[in-house]
Short mmCIF file of all heavy atoms in Angstrom, two decimals:
data_model
loop_
_atom_site.label_atom_id
_atom_site.label_comp_id
_atom_site.label_asym_id
_atom_site.label_seq_id
_atom_site.Cartn_x
_atom_site.Cartn_y
_atom_site.Cartn_z
N ASP A 33 -11.54 -47.46 20.76
CA ASP A 33 -12.57 -47.95 21.64
C ASP A 33 -13.92 -47.39 21.17
O ASP A 33 -14.01 -46.51 20.30
CB ASP A 33 -12.28 -47.61 23.15
CG ASP A 33 -12.21 -46.13 23.44
OD1 ASP A 33 -12.82 -45.32 22.72
OD2 ASP A 33 -11.55 -45.75 24.40
N LYS A 46 -24.01 -36.33 11.95
CA LYS A 46 -24.66 -35.03 11.96
C LYS A 46 -25.10 -34.58 10.59
O LYS A 46 -26.18 -34.08 10.41
CB LYS A 46 -23.67 -34.00 12.56
CG LYS A 46 -24.29 -32.72 13.07
CD LYS A 46 -23.27 -31.85 13.75
CE LYS A 46 -22.84 -32.48 15.08
NZ LYS A 46 -21.97 -31.63 15.89
N ALA A 91 -7.38 -54.57 -4.03
CA ALA A 91 -6.92 -55.94 -4.05
C ALA A 91 -7.16 -56.57 -5.43
O ALA A 91 -6.32 -57.33 -5.94
CB ALA A 91 -7.58 -56.77 -2.90
#
Side-chain angles (χ1 to χ4, degrees):
D33 64 26
K46 199 175 289 188

